[in-house]
Amino acid sequence: QWQLEESGGGLAQVGGSLRLSCAASGRPYSSHVLGWCRQSPGKAREFVAGIRWGRAATYYADSVKGRFTISKDSAANTVHLQMNNLKPEDTDSYYCAVGSDLGFCHQPLRGFAWGQGTQVSVSS
C-alpha cells in the first residue's frame, strides 16, 4: 500500500515562502506522477503541482505557476514544493498523492492511502 508523509507548512505572511516535503514509503516507478493537491473545507480537492518521477517533467496549476516549484530527491524518494510569493488564497490543507497521470488528486494509484495533510495559512 502506498503511503506518503507530508511535512512542512505553517503560517506565512503575504509574499512570504514555505516549503513542503512529501516522503514516499517506496520508490516510485518512472511513469508515476507525484505531487500536491489542496483542499478547503466543503470544497473539492484541487491539483496544485506534479512531477513525473522518471523524466522529472513538472506541471502546475495556473494559480501557482511562477510562484511554486516542485522538485524531487530521487535518493530519498521525496518530493518538495517550494512556495514563494504566497497569497491569502493559498491558505488550504495540502496533501501529497501519487498516480499514473495528472489526475492523481481524484484518481490516485490503487492502494494509495491519503495522509493527514499539512496546513498552510497565509495572513495579510
Side-chain angles (χ1 to χ4, degrees):
Q1 186 179 28
W2 268 96
Q3 287 185 327
L4 302 174
E5 183 174 356
E6 303 100 344
S7 62
L11 178 64
Q13 293 187 330
V14 171
S17 299
L18 287 171
R19 187 175 191 243
L20 307 183
S21 294
C22 168
S25 59
R27 183 170 182 79
Y29 291 162
S30 59
S31 60
H32 286 162
V33 181
L34 279 77
W36 295 90
C37 319
R38 63 187 183 187
Q39 185 173 25
S40 294
K43 293 187 177 181
R45 190 175 294 125
E46 65 175 14
F47 167 79
V48 177
I51 185 166
R52 192 168 294 277
W53 193 258
R55 293 188 290 118
T58 57
Y59 310 91
Y60 299 95
D62 289 342
S63 59
V64 307
K65 211 171 280 185
R67 300 188 297 121
F68 291 10
T69 302
I70 189 169
S71 61
K72 69 181 181 80
D73 181 344
S74 298
N77 294 332
T78 299
V79 172
H80 303 287
L81 184 68
Q82 178 67 41
M83 304 186 294
N84 297 330
N85 191 20
L86 284 163
K87 302 177 179 181
E89 52 264 40
D90 295 319
T91 295
D92 254 329
S93 294
Y94 285 70
Y95 299 86
C96 189
V98 56
S100 57
D101 54 35
L102 290 179
F104 60 80
C105 291
H106 301 285
Q107 289 186 317
L109 285 181
R110 183 188 299 269
F112 170 74
W114 288 98
Q116 296 294 317
T118 185
Q119 179 66 34
V120 170
S121 299
V122 184
S123 63
S124 56

